[in-house]
């Protein structure tokens, strides 16, 4: 029965009730009803009961699991509206700029109809534009942009120059990707350090003369008395030199007139670090798997998505070591000025919630690390899709043959198919097998498409 102009007025009434001491939970029924009616009037999309249930989960500071296509974008609107009434800002976190822009322009009219302001943070914005966006009641943006803005704020000399306000409440889309898969990915702001490219090249020149320690053929582990110069920990991506290895490094550096005196004298000891990064570049980081070389530049490949991370560089001299390994121009190393992981950044929020289609399998990790519960919301209609169990094969050759047979079957009926692999190398391997079967395909950096 309300007129359109009544919605902003009621929003102001609700804000006043909060300032008077009322709790958000007491306002939830009315706020959610207003948000649902506003969505119906503006977008002609009325929240289903399951979406309202999901919004309650988000408001309670838990993780919402909803199947793909159930409308998570619309689901978060009532929760964001209710929490924005406190006037401390709500951040809705997406995984890329496109989704931040899309969701803000799609859901924005609902918030404005209710009398709230909406902003968007994307990578190509100026500082003052960001300040305006953060001053809005609801701000959409990517995890990277929120994190980097926090780091830049902490490098300001005057608090009045900061642009990011309180970390009050956030809703993280694809929360499992951001808080589990990329949780320990560090965001780093760096500046130029002293030029040590000659030392990096020198370290790279003697790597081939070092030998990996011999593993026990039965256990696959390094024995305590293993012969060799270094040990490789592939899981932790770590290199450890033996006493023999350190003596060999010292001898090679002296022989090549790179250092004079002992390896442990003054600045000479820095070469232990340069050698560690050089061996790591050769033994643990592989071309077309961990990185690609494009236009004479080393570009990192995201281990989770297979996409090239343009502009990003490995820290601590590793990127320069890889450049030396590939025989291209070694850039001057940067030093870290500010850094934070996603895990530590998002734990600063007073209340955090999130949504994804696949959270229940990681529920123990969410509970242990972030103290967040996972709530699974049923689908609006019964699921007719058949989710099959994983197929496990004895060898990789059997698995690839089975994949090719399935692709051949689907391709024969004219259905397009997308094949995701863990690396470019695997994509190219599969591509060759398909071409042998007469199936044309195109290889991308993150997938193969027929």
């Amino acid at each position: 029965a309300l007129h359109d102009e009544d919605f902003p007025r009621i929003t102001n009434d609700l804000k006043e009730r909060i300032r008077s001491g009322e709790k958000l939970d007491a306002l939830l029924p009315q706020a959610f009803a207003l948000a649902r009616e506003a969505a119906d009037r503006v977008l002609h999309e009325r929240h289903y009961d399951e979406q309202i249930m999901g919004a309650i989960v988000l408001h309670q500071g838990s993780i919402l699991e909803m199947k793909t296509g159930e409308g998570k974008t619309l689901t978060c609107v009532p929760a964001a509206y209710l929490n924005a009434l406190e006037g401390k800002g709500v951040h809705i976190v997406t995984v890329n700029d496109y989704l931040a822009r899309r969701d803000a322009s799609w859901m924005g009219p609902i918030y404005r109809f209710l009398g709230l302001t909406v902003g968007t943070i994307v990578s190509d914005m100026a500082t003052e534009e960001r300040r305006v966006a953060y001053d809005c009641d609801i701000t959409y943006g990517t995890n990277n942009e929120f994190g980097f803005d926090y780091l830049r704020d902490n490098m300001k000399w005057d608090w009045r120059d900061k642009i990011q306000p309180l970390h009050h409440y956030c809703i993280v889309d694809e929360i499992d990707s951001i808080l589990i898969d990329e949780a320990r990915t560090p965001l780093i702001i760096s500046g130029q350090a002293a030029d040590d490219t000659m030392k990096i090249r020198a370290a790279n020149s003697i790597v081939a003369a070092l030998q990996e320690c011999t593993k026990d053929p039965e256990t696959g582990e390094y024995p305590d008395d293993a012969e060799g110069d270094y040990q490789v920990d592939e899981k932790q991506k770590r290199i450890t030199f033996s006493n023999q290895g350190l003596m060999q490094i010292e001898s090679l550096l002296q022989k090549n007139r790179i250092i004079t005196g002992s390896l442990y004298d003054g600045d000479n000891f820095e070469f232990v670090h340069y050698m560690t990064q050089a061996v790591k570049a050769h033994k643990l980081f592989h071309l077309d798997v961990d990185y690609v070389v494009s236009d004479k530049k080393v570009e990192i490949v995201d281990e989770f998505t297979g996409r090239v991370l343009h502009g990003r560089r490995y820290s601590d001299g590793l990127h320069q070591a890889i450049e030396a390994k590939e025989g291209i121009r070694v850039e001057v190393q940067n030093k870290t000025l500010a850094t934070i992981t996603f895990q530590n950044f998002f734990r600063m929020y007073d209340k955090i919630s999130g949504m994804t289609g696949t959270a229940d399998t990681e529920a123990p990790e969410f509970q242990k690390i972030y103290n967040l519960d996972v709530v699974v919301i049923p689908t609006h209609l019964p699921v007719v899709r058949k989710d099959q169990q994983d197929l496990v094969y004895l060898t990789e050759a059997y698995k690839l043959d089975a994949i090719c047979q399935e692709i051949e079957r689907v391709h024969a009926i004219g259905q397009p198919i997308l094949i995701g692999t863990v690396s470019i190398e695997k994509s190219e391997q599969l591509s060759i097998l398909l071409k042998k079967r007469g199936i044309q395909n195109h290889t991308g950096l993150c997938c193969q498409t027929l």
Side-chain angles (χ1 to χ4, degrees):
L2 293 175
H3 297 294
D4 289 359
E5 58 270 18
D6 291 333
F7 283 76
R9 177 182 57 77
I10 296 175
T11 294
N12 288 329
D13 291 343
L14 294 176
K15 287 181 178 180
E16 190 56 44
R17 287 168 62 184
I18 290 172
R19 283 192 286 268
S20 300
E22 279 200 60
K23 301 296 183 183
L24 287 182
D25 289 347
L27 304 182
L28 186 148
Q30 187 177 1
F32 275 36
L34 283 168
R36 182 170 67 172
E37 179 65 19
D40 191 21
R41 294 192 189 190
V42 175
L43 300 182
H44 307 296
E45 295 182 12
R46 190 174 188 272
H47 290 79
Y48 293 124
D49 289 350
E50 292 82 5
Q51 291 174 314
I52 292 295
M53 289 164 61
I56 293 172
V57 170
L58 293 175
H59 163 65
Q60 291 173 339
S62 296
I63 295 172
L64 162 68
E65 181 182 297
M66 289 181 79
K67 295 290 184 186
T68 302
E70 289 294 296
K72 290 189 287 291
T73 306
L74 187 64
T75 296
C76 76
V77 170
Y81 170 64
L82 175 61
N83 284 270
L85 296 174
E86 291 185 296
K88 297 179 181 179
V90 172
H91 296 167
I92 300 180
V93 185
T94 64
V95 293
N96 58 51
D97 284 350
Y98 164 74
L99 288 176
R101 285 194 181 99
R102 187 204 70 176
D103 292 356
S105 61
W106 187 9
M107 299 294 120
I110 301 174
Y111 298 119
R112 295 186 187 97
F113 184 85
L114 289 160
L116 299 180
T117 54
V118 182
T120 311
I121 303 290
V122 289
S123 57
D124 55 357
M125 289 177 65
T127 301
E128 285 309 310
E129 291 177 301
R130 291 171 183 267
R131 189 188 302 278
V132 171
Y134 279 121
D135 286 340
C136 293
D137 295 303
I138 293 167
T139 307
Y140 284 84
T142 65
N143 49 332
N144 285 334
E145 293 306 311
F146 283 124
F148 278 123
D149 283 341
Y150 169 74
L151 292 180
R152 282 188 282 263
D153 273 358
N154 274 273
M155 294 172 67
K156 300 283 174 61
W157 290 102
D158 191 328
W159 67 269
R160 288 167 293 193
D161 293 332
K162 293 187 175 186
I163 61 172
Q164 195 174 82
L166 301 171
H167 298 92
H168 175 54
Y169 174 57
C170 72
I171 300 173
V172 184
D173 194 12
E174 304 298 347
I175 191 169
D176 53 338
S177 173
I178 294 171
L179 291 194
I180 299 295
D181 297 342
E182 297 187 50
R184 295 187 180 180
T185 301
L187 297 172
I188 299 171
I189 293 179
S190 56
Q192 205 167 74
D195 188 352
D196 56 357
T197 54
M198 294 298 292
K199 295 178 180 178
I200 291 166
R201 286 199 189 93
N204 182 73
S205 68
I206 63 174
V207 166
L210 300 178
Q211 297 293 322
E212 182 180 350
C213 293
T214 306
K215 291 183 177 180
D216 186 314
E218 293 183 4
T219 64
E221 302 290 332
Y222 296 105
D224 293 337
D225 57 347
E227 290 290 324
D229 300 319
Y230 59 87
Q231 296 181 4
V232 179
D233 184 342
E234 293 186 4
K235 185 175 180 181
Q236 300 293 332
K237 287 192 177 294
R238 191 167 55 198
I239 297 293
T240 307
F241 290 114
S242 62
N243 289 334
Q244 175 186 326
L246 291 170
M247 291 172 63
Q248 174 74 337
I249 290 170
E250 182 180 70
S251 173
L252 289 167
L253 290 172
Q254 291 171 345
K255 183 179 178 181
N256 288 276
R257 298 182 180 179
I258 298 168
I259 65 170
T260 55
S262 170
L263 178 63
Y264 303 98
D265 289 344
D267 292 341
N268 289 350
F269 192 67
E270 290 181 357
F271 274 97
V272 175
H273 170 72
Y274 292 126
M275 290 304 305
T276 301
Q277 299 300 65
V279 175
K280 193 182 290 186
H282 279 265
K283 295 296 180 181
L284 293 172
F285 288 81
H286 307 290
L287 179 66
D288 292 341
V289 177
D290 301 294
Y291 64 91
V292 295
V293 176
S294 175
D295 297 328
K296 295 185 178 180
K297 289 186 178 180
V298 172
E299 303 271 19
I300 300 173
V301 174
D302 191 317
E303 64 179 304
F304 304 110
T305 65
R307 293 188 176 92
V308 174
L309 301 174
H310 298 289
R312 288 205 197 176
R313 294 176 66 81
Y314 291 116
S315 61
D316 213 21
L318 177 58
H319 209 94
Q320 287 76 12
I322 295 172
E323 288 170 335
K325 166 192 169 184
E326 295 298 333
I328 59 178
R329 181 174 176 268
V330 178
E331 301 284 345
V332 176
Q333 186 175 336
N334 291 327
K335 62 180 178 180
T336 299
L337 302 178
T339 181
I340 193 170
T341 61
F342 286 125
Q343 184 180 96
N344 289 334
F345 173 69
F346 284 107
R347 287 173 73 169
M348 292 192 302
Y349 281 85
D350 299 330
K351 182 166 74 172
I352 179 173
S353 64
M355 48 193 184
T356 180
T358 52
D360 200 35
T361 53
E362 286 145 337
E365 291 176 87
F366 281 121
Q367 180 60 46
K368 182 179 179 181
I369 300 170
Y370 301 100
N371 197 27
L372 291 172
D373 292 322
V374 174
V375 181
V376 181
I377 299 296
T379 55
H380 180 61
L381 296 173
V383 178
V384 295
R385 182 186 65 246
K386 293 179 181 178
D387 292 329
Q388 305 288 357
Q389 293 294 317
D390 289 346
L391 296 176
V392 181
Y393 292 87
L394 184 63
T395 67
E396 186 178 38
Y398 290 154
K399 181 181 75 169
L400 291 173
D401 185 61
I403 290 170
C404 290
Q405 285 183 24
E406 177 64 11
I407 293 169
E408 200 168 28
R409 182 189 68 78
V410 174
H411 185 63
I413 61 175
Q415 180 181 343
I417 183 167
L418 185 72
I419 304 104
T421 62
V422 296
S423 69
I424 299 167
E425 185 181 32
K426 295 290 183 188
S427 291
E428 291 175 343
Q429 184 181 358
L430 198 54
S431 177
I432 292 167
L433 292 174
L434 291 172
K435 285 174 181 175
K436 286 180 179 178
R437 292 173 179 249
I439 300 173
Q440 291 302 311
N441 60 85
H442 301 283
T443 308
L445 284 176
C446 60
C447 63
Q448 291 206 2
T449 316
L450 293 183

